[in-house]
Amino acid sequence: MTEQAKTPATGSRPRLEAYWVERKRYLEEIRGIPELRRRYANALGIYLLRRFLWSFGFFPVFIAFWIPLVFSRFNPVAMVDKALPHLEAFVNATAQVQATTMETLFLSWLSIGFLFAVFDLVLTPFKSPYEYEADVHMRAWEELQQSSGQEKA
């Protein structure tokens, strides 16, 4: 390895630090804008609503129908035929057994939803409007820095 490859370029380090200082300064500057606060709250609410609707609405229901459909080899008639005796037993059972069955179904739905919610929140992180505005500002700032650097050269 050469000496240049081992040591970081000292010319790019001040520009990199200036970039992050400018980004932090701009983020602090735009934190007080009421319109961005409102957009942040709306974006966060929509993000959480979408994540939890997917996690607690779609995935548990999809799994509840998909797994029995797979076990019945994609034959809905066979799936219903296998499910009817269980439904009849549930209807004919005592209230305590019915309550226990409903509690078990609710807990399984909740655990599947929670598992998917954790993974969904990790895999699709929230990007705030502040970050978007800072990205736009920093692209313009970089172009300004490059054009002023070219004028000096």
Side-chain angles (χ1 to χ4, degrees):
M1 225 181 214
T2 64
E3 276 303 310
Q4 286 180 338
K6 288 181 184 176
T7 59
T10 56
S12 66
R13 180 170 245 166
R15 289 186 70 195
L16 188 61
E17 288 176 9
Y19 176 92
W20 289 108
V21 167
E22 173 63 18
R23 185 178 179 88
K24 185 176 179 182
R25 183 203 62 78
Y26 185 73
L27 281 170
E28 288 173 4
E29 179 183 318
I30 63 174
R31 292 266 185 229
I33 300 174
E35 173 63 26
L36 277 178
R37 275 194 215 155
R38 193 170 24 262
R39 277 199 300 177
Y40 179 82
N42 287 342
L44 184 63
I46 289 170
Y47 169 78
L48 290 174
L49 181 67
R50 289 168 86 193
R51 299 286 64 93
F52 286 113
L53 280 176
W54 271 106
S55 299
F56 289 97
F58 175 75
F59 289 118
V61 172
F62 178 75
I63 288 172
F65 286 102
W66 184 257
I67 290 175
L69 195 60
V70 168
F71 284 145
S72 66
R73 297 178 187 251
F74 297 99
N75 185 350
V77 175
M79 183 175 77
V80 171
D81 192 41
K82 288 180 185 177
L84 278 178
H86 296 291
L87 291 173
E88 285 178 18
F90 174 76
V91 170
N92 295 331
T94 64
Q96 184 178 3
V97 171
Q98 289 178 347
T100 304
T101 304
M102 293 300 291
E103 183 179 315
T104 303
L105 287 173
F106 178 74
L107 285 175
S108 64
W109 170 78
L110 196 63
S111 64
I112 290 171
F114 183 72
L115 179 74
F116 277 100
V118 168
F119 284 115
D120 203 18
L121 291 172
V122 169
L123 294 175
T124 55
F126 175 67
K127 183 159 184 174
S128 75
Y130 292 116
E131 295 295 323
Y132 175 77
E133 293 293 329
D135 289 344
V136 170
H137 173 76
M138 293 314 293
R139 273 188 241 120
W141 182 84
E142 282 178 328
E143 287 181 20
L144 185 65
Q145 294 298 318
Q146 287 175 354
S147 65
S148 69
Q150 289 174 356
E151 290 173 5
K152 290 180 183 177

